[in-house]
Amino acid sequence: MRAFKQTFWLTLIKLGIFITILSLCLFLFLIFTKGGKVISLSFLFEPPKEGMTKGGIFPALIGTLYLTLGSILFALPIGILAAIYLSEYAKPSVFVSAIRIAIKTLAGVPSIVFGLFGLALFVNFFGFGVSILSGALTLGILILPTIINASEEAIKTVPQDFREAAYALGATKRQTIMKIVLPTALPSVLTGAIISVGRAAGETAPILFTAATFYTRRLPKSILDEIMALPYHIYALMTEGTAPKFQVPIAYGTALVLLLLVLTINLVAIIMRYRIRRKKKW
Amino acid sequence: MVESEILIKELNLWFGNNHILRNITMPINKNKLTAIIGPSGCGKSTLLRCFNRMNDLIEGVKITGSIFIDGKDIYSEKTDVYALRMKVGMVFQKPNPFPKSIFENVSFSLQIKGKLNKQAISQRVEKSLRDAWLWDEVKDRLHTQAFELSGGQQQRLCIARALANDPEILLLDEPTSALDPQSTIKIEELLIELKKTVTIIQVTHNIAQAARISDYTGFIYLGELIEFGPTEKIFTTPKDKRTEEYLTGKFG
Amino acid sequence: MIREKLFKYFSLLAAICAIVFLLSIIVSIFREGLPIFGKVGFLRFLFGKSWHPTQEPAEFGILALIVGSIVVTIGALLIAIPLGVGSAIYLSELAKPQTREILKPFIELLAGIPSVIYGLFGMAFLAPFIMRLFNLNAGLNAFTASIVLGLMVVPIISSISEDAISAVPKSLREAAYALGANKWETIRKVVLPAAKSGIFASIVLGFGRAIGETMVVLMVAGGSAIIPKSIFQPVRPMTSAIAAEMGETVVGSDHYQALFGIAIILFTITFLSNLITEAMKGKVKR
């Protein structure tokens, strides 16, 4: 009886993971095959034509590039500096606890709330309008907690021995951080940054009202222009498109491009992490 | 007694409520090697770290008393701690080179001082590596990673790194306890040579090593300086019973 | 010395940014959304069954939206918990090390897939399929959305549960085996109870993720702001309402404020669920 129970439950569990892996594979298979039919070099590098029924997604690709670049340019310096403060300078206090609570809370805010926040603050209050700037800032704040956490982890991994050696040689705290701690932690910090870039590239809700538009005639000329973006393009094609027969395949194609982009970015991060672990000699 | 311009005077140290160092007064003789011996956990390393104010970095530390170097109290308010640490170098128990090249390690303090040009730095690096008896072994691979060196070589690298500052005093915290016997002998011989130009203060739990290479010895027990004097005298005719018991291996 | 102080204060400033940004978010949504509570009445807003923002006169009751969120979230968890915890058990207790090395990163990689792609999958493939399968009028409904959302949440629950289960000390398992328990009994009576807090934390995290998710429900759940009578009816969760309707409102109008009002409720719910997760994490440490 006991043996039967065990077989029953273990089989159920094995079934469970089988279903999970199968559905995820099915999902990926679908995107790859349906998207693959549409993908070509011209798809990647040409703008949409004929009312979004033909052509490519180049402006969306560029838009996603600008948005993620902008978000990381904003979030990385702030994130690293904040992590430096938290791990090298901060002493336990109510103030520091408040900062940590704020970081955790930020990490849990739904992405649509970020979108509304971006709309209220950047688009309306600051008057940036629906633009790359608004979108990048909103995305930047979205990924900030991840960057702070990854950077703090990386800095904490630097052995105390190195700091001691630097101090004993007459280095100040700032010199020790800038010349020893940070360079040593940098590869891991960058890995965290890369993962955040992947996240920023795939987010739709934060850019819905802050940056994205379905169609622009030309590529953006300034950061105050609105832009197309890959995730938004998928959504728009499916919900605002007037010719589903043509547009659903394009949506699949765009999804495949976005998927490959995100997977590649994450793969780069995983490889970096693996190589860091191997290279570490201390 | 040989002239000493380095003097610990009535030094007390607390970590929180723990009275770690109790009223220590001890002279350090220039260009000699002074060994600090005693059982584990009695404050030897803590005392050593008072010389370059590394204890300041620990939360909740309180220090009273003075350490005079060249007539000036390093615990006075006016002391530039960073300049002090360049004058008083330190080598740690476990070799801790930076994850950088050999060259970058030795030139680190020169880089942060920022005063020398490239050529001067190269010259200093070479001199330091020669003084640490490491030059011949690494001269062809100055730009390879320090971590690729053996344990003994890494420790000599750390010595070279400290010497690059041209320090007056060199502090060594059990520098050979993590090394194999061969490397240990090599470093002991190096120290005997180095003490001619640098004042050396060395913590060691290896009594035989202290007998071999030091000129003066101080015995610390439970945070107090029990006895201090020329090494030969301490080892052959110790005045305090506790010194004698420690030296004959009855405890510690 | 100046450089030292400057550096310290710049980094302090950067750390304060976290608080500043969070406060900005809170202030923004409360500033734009609070007025609607005054105009409609907080209880009527929260529990009103009619969401007709574009009617004359407009009605702003979000109960249907809240129910929509809850239905889809619970549906998602009903799928994600068995599959997620099951996967976690498999990966840490049953799988061979080589299998684990492949499957674990695979599942984690899937956590990084953008939600809009899940939405596409639900809208273009799953919905028509389910429509045919169950002979429905519409494939875009709570049921379909639950499946897609559930699939999306599985990696989260799986990862964190797996960490919790792996963290159970080997000695506990060995004690059980030594007493004659078989593998399943060990898992059920020793390992799972020991990992209880971590698993529960993963579920709360999954809950927060599901209820805050926008694109999947926007594209797959249907969009009908009515309390559903069956799971095969379309619903409009809170996130979906905001995303779908914001584009058509005038800044500062009642509708605009009402959508921010929903954001306030949404923020509060996810904030509370984060609080619970943190409390759980505190328990796990002990």
Side-chain angles (χ1 to χ4, degrees):
Chain A
M1 183 55 198
R2 283 169 56 197
F4 171 72
K5 261 188 168 177
Q6 171 166 259
T7 324
F8 174 69
W9 283 105
L10 293 186
T11 317
L12 215 63
I13 289 179
K14 288 190 191 144
L15 194 68
I17 196 159
F18 182 69
I19 295 177
T20 309
I21 302 287
L22 193 68
S23 352
L24 293 168
C25 284
L26 171 69
F27 167 53
L28 290 175
F29 177 73
L30 202 71
I31 307 289
F32 272 90
T33 47
K34 294 217 169 175
K37 287 191 196 139
V38 187
I39 290 214
S40 64
L41 274 173
S42 68
F43 184 72
L44 288 175
F45 292 109
E46 276 176 32
K49 297 183 218 161
E50 292 182 43
M52 296 290 187
T53 55
K54 285 207 187 126
I57 55 168
F58 187 60
L61 207 57
I62 295 289
T64 293
L65 187 73
Y66 284 159
L67 282 173
T68 44
L69 210 68
S71 69
I72 202 86
L73 275 171
F74 173 70
L76 197 60
I78 298 180
I80 293 181
L81 275 175
I84 287 176
Y85 179 78
L86 287 172
S87 44
E88 300 287 317
Y89 286 103
K91 296 190 193 124
S93 65
V94 174
F95 174 65
V96 172
S97 306
I99 296 180
R100 290 199 187 277
I101 292 176
I103 295 175
K104 287 205 183 104
T105 310
L106 268 178
V109 174
S111 48
I112 189 71
V113 176
F114 269 105
L116 280 193
F117 156 68
L119 175 66
L121 191 69
F122 300 126
V123 175
N124 291 332
F125 187 72
F126 284 162
F128 298 148
V130 175
S131 59
I132 300 177
L133 185 62
S134 300
L137 289 173
T138 309
L139 283 173
I141 299 180
L142 180 84
I143 62 174
L144 188 65
T146 318
I147 294 189
I148 296 181
N149 287 334
S151 303
E152 230 195 310
E153 274 293 315
I155 291 174
K156 288 209 166 113
T157 319
V158 175
Q160 194 60 13
D161 289 356
F162 295 166
R163 293 181 185 82
E164 283 212 317
Y167 290 135
L169 288 164
T172 64
K173 192 158 195 165
R174 177 188 57 92
Q175 288 169 330
T176 306
I177 294 174
M178 292 301 285
K179 291 192 184 277
I180 300 290
V181 178
L182 205 54
T184 309
L186 207 60
S188 294
V189 168
L190 287 181
T191 308
I194 292 176
I195 294 181
S196 301
V197 164
R199 170 120 186 262
E203 285 282 345
T204 322
I207 59 172
L208 274 178
F209 318 118
T210 57
T213 180
F214 193 11
Y215 179 65
T216 56
R217 278 204 59 200
R218 30 174 183 79
L219 291 178
K221 291 217 164 83
S222 87
I223 57 173
L224 289 177
D225 286 342
E226 47 184 23
I227 34 124
M228 294 169 66
L230 292 174
Y232 182 76
H233 201 59
I234 299 170
Y235 163 68
L237 280 172
M238 295 300 294
T239 56
E240 287 174 39
T242 47
K245 195 173 119 185
F246 296 105
Q247 288 166 333
V248 172
I250 297 181
Y252 272 110
T254 314
L256 182 57
V257 172
L258 181 60
L259 187 65
L260 287 173
L261 186 68
V262 171
L263 286 180
T264 312
I265 292 176
N266 282 334
L267 208 69
V268 168
I270 291 178
I271 293 178
M272 261 188 88
R273 191 170 277 162
Y274 177 67
R275 286 183 64 190
I276 293 172
R277 225 163 261 170
R278 270 187 49 193
K279 266 181 88 178
K280 243 189 204 172
K281 290 191 180 110
W282 58 82
Chain B
M1 190 150 89
V2 180
E3 179 196 55
S4 57
E5 288 169 34
I6 304 163
L7 175 67
I8 314 174
K9 189 164 172 222
E10 290 163 15
L11 188 72
N12 281 282
L13 185 147
W14 290 263
F15 284 142
N17 287 329
N18 294 323
H19 197 176
I20 304 289
L21 296 175
R22 298 165 183 272
N23 222 17
I24 300 199
T25 296
M26 190 169 103
I28 301 288
N29 297 282
K30 284 196 92 169
N31 295 347
K32 299 285 176 205
L33 198 156
T34 303
I36 300 179
I37 63 173
S40 299
C42 283
K44 307 193 299 294
S45 293
T46 311
L47 177 60
L48 192 73
R49 288 161 152 252
C50 286
F51 280 95
N52 61 358
R53 295 188 60 171
M54 284 291 278
N55 287 323
D56 290 9
L57 300 171
I58 301 178
E59 274 292 304
V61 71
K62 180 173 158 217
I63 299 174
T64 62
S66 316
I67 295 185
F68 292 96
I69 297 180
D70 289 339
K72 297 203 199 98
D73 180 10
I74 67 174
Y75 278 96
S76 86
E77 301 251 307
K78 290 180 277 173
T79 311
D80 178 354
V81 173
Y82 307 113
L84 172 69
R85 293 189 187 133
M86 290 192 180
K87 215 163 65 167
V88 181
M90 182 172 239
V91 173
F92 297 81
Q93 182 173 348
K94 181 168 162 280
N96 56 1
F98 299 129
K100 292 171 182 272
S101 74
I102 294 171
F103 185 87
E104 284 170 326
N105 264 278
V106 182
S107 64
F108 178 73
S109 44
L110 305 171
Q111 307 253 358
I112 58 177
K113 263 194 279 211
K115 287 193 191 137
L116 303 178
N117 63 33
K118 266 175 116 177
Q119 209 193 20
I121 292 182
S122 292
Q123 285 173 347
R124 279 280 208 115
V125 168
E126 185 180 329
K127 177 172 190 300
S128 307
L129 285 168
R130 282 189 191 280
D131 289 344
W133 293 0
L134 193 59
W135 174 253
D136 288 326
E137 288 164 64
V138 301
K139 64 182 180 214
D140 298 322
R141 45 175 177 148
L142 289 178
H143 296 284
T144 59
Q145 286 292 303
F147 272 96
E148 288 170 19
L149 297 174
S150 75
Q153 287 172 321
Q154 284 184 22
Q155 194 64 304
R156 276 179 281 146
L157 177 64
C158 292
I159 294 176
R161 185 174 63 181
L163 291 176
N165 265 326
D166 206 13
E168 282 179 34
I169 303 174
L170 191 61
L171 307 172
L172 300 155
D173 192 349
E174 305 201 35
T176 58
S177 65
L179 303 176
D180 61 274
Q182 265 183 315
S183 309
T184 301
I185 293 174
K186 188 144 195 191
I187 289 188
E188 285 184 10
E189 289 172 2
L190 170 62
L191 293 175
I192 295 176
E193 183 62 34
L194 274 178
K195 73 182 179 189
K196 296 178 189 163
T197 46
V198 184
T199 306
I200 299 183
I201 308 174
Q202 179 170 341
V203 163
T204 179
H205 69 255
N206 183 340
I207 301 172
Q209 183 178 74
R212 278 197 293 270
I213 65 175
S214 69
D215 304 300
Y216 292 87
T217 301
F219 172 56
I220 303 281
Y221 179 59
L222 296 180
E224 275 181 60
L225 177 65
I226 306 295
E227 206 172 327
F228 173 83
T231 301
E232 228 195 284
K233 279 227 187 94
I234 296 275
F235 274 76
T236 51
T237 51
K239 291 197 205 115
D240 193 297
K241 191 162 187 288
R242 289 168 288 184
T243 317
E244 192 194 333
E245 287 185 349
Y246 179 69
L247 289 175
T248 53
K250 290 223 174 80
F251 66 91
Chain C
M1 263 299 118
I2 304 174
R3 278 208 219 156
E4 294 298 306
K5 287 221 161 85
L6 266 177
F7 184 72
K8 179 174 179 183
Y9 288 121
F10 264 113
S11 57
L12 172 62
L13 221 69
I16 292 180
C17 279
I19 299 183
V20 169
F21 292 153
L22 180 65
L23 286 177
S24 308
I25 295 178
I26 295 177
V27 165
S28 300
I29 61 172
F30 273 79
R31 184 161 168 259
E32 305 292 333
L34 227 45
I36 198 71
F37 293 157
K39 287 181 193 168
V40 174
F42 181 65
L43 289 177
R44 251 180 65 192
F45 184 78
L46 204 59
F47 296 114
K49 288 192 195 156
S50 304
W51 175 257
H52 293 126
T54 47
Q55 242 179 29
E56 290 287 330
E59 292 188 62
F60 296 115
I62 66 169
L63 188 64
L65 307 179
I66 296 181
V67 170
S69 287
I70 293 179
V71 167
V72 171
T73 302
I74 292 185
L77 287 177
L78 281 174
I79 295 176
I81 294 176
L83 288 183
V85 178
S87 305
I89 297 176
Y90 178 78
L91 285 175
S92 54
E93 304 290 314
L94 303 176
K96 290 189 282 257
Q98 306 112 301
T99 327
R100 189 167 177 268
E101 288 296 302
I102 303 176
L103 287 185
K104 190 163 152 69
F106 179 64
I107 295 185
E108 276 175 13
L109 215 67
L110 289 163
I113 296 183
S115 52
V116 67
I117 301 183
Y118 279 99
L120 173 67
F121 168 68
M123 194 173 177
F125 175 79
L126 196 62
F129 176 73
I130 288 188
M131 194 169 85
R132 283 194 307 268
L133 190 68
F134 291 97
N135 217 357
L136 305 164
N137 282 331
L140 297 176
N141 52 44
F143 180 71
T144 319
S146 296
I147 295 181
V148 181
L149 201 57
L151 207 61
M152 213 181 85
V153 171
V154 165
I156 300 172
I157 295 187
S158 174
S159 280
I160 298 179
S161 295
E162 203 261 330
D163 287 341
I165 293 175
S166 301
V168 173
K170 216 169 146 208
S171 52
L172 280 173
R173 292 184 187 84
E174 287 175 353
Y177 290 141
L179 289 166
N182 64 28
K183 190 149 201 145
W184 170 246
E185 286 162 351
T186 308
I187 294 175
R188 186 163 157 254
K189 299 209 161 110
V190 175
V191 178
L192 286 184
K196 198 172 45 177
S197 304
I199 296 178
F200 190 66
S202 79
I203 294 176
V204 176
L205 217 72
F207 168 81
R209 187 76 166 79
I211 207 164
E213 172 51 40
T214 308
M215 297 320 289
V216 169
V217 296
L218 182 60
M219 293 167 81
V220 184
S224 179
I226 300 177
I227 299 177
K229 295 196 181 67
S230 104
I231 198 164
F232 289 110
Q233 285 185 335
V235 288
R236 175 161 276 194
M238 295 184 277
T239 51
S240 177
I242 299 175
E245 296 174 25
M246 186 49 91
E248 292 151 9
T249 61
V250 175
V251 177
S253 68
D254 288 353
H255 192 185
Y256 179 86
Q257 290 176 341
L259 293 177
F260 271 90
I262 301 178
I264 295 177
I265 304 295
L266 197 58
F267 174 81
T268 312
I269 294 178
T270 49
F271 180 71
L272 288 174
S273 102
N274 275 343
L275 229 65
I276 297 178
T277 313
E278 283 307 303
M280 297 259 89
K281 279 200 187 143
K283 270 179 83 180
V284 169
K285 279 193 185 135
R286 267 170 264 146

